[in-house]
Amino acid sequence: MSNASRPLTRHEVKAQNSRAYLLQQRDDYIRRYGEDLGAFHFLMMLLKTQGTKAHKRGDIQALRALANDLHAVYVKHTQ
């Protein structure tokens, strides 16, 4: 959170705006699809975004971690 004695840095403002945007996106998905399906669609959007970024960076470890996380969600909900 911000310190009241100084203005936010550019990085802090960017992080705060990003968080606000993601919360708005989550609420929009939940409003459109309902609680469970909306949360699932939001999770898929986040995984796709992070996977695309990792792929562009060539970060194989991040891609493996995302694949493992996605598999864990699949296993949890298909058992």
Side-chain angles (χ1 to χ4, degrees), residues 11-39:
H11 185 268
E12 291 169 335
V13 169
K14 186 175 179 181
Q16 187 176 28
N17 289 342
S18 176
R19 182 179 187 279
Y21 174 74
L22 286 176
L23 290 174
Q24 184 265 333
Q25 286 290 100
R26 182 197 65 193
D27 293 344
D28 185 49
Y29 277 115
I30 290 173
R31 183 178 47 76
R32 276 195 280 168
Y33 300 111
E35 189 71 33
D36 292 338
L37 191 56

Side-chain angles (χ1 to χ4, degrees), residues 32-78:
R32 276 195 280 168
Y33 300 111
E35 189 71 33
D36 292 338
L37 191 56
F40 178 74
H41 276 285
F42 178 69
L43 174 65
M44 291 294 105
M45 184 268 302
L46 282 179
L47 288 172
K48 180 181 176 212
T49 303
Q50 293 302 313
T52 301
K53 289 179 181 179
H55 183 271
K56 286 181 180 178
R57 286 192 315 265
D59 189 352
I60 301 301
Q61 296 292 34
L63 287 172
R64 283 189 181 129
L66 286 170
N68 287 335
D69 292 344
L70 186 56
H71 180 70
V73 169
Y74 172 77
V75 168
K76 178 180 178 183
H77 293 286
T78 57

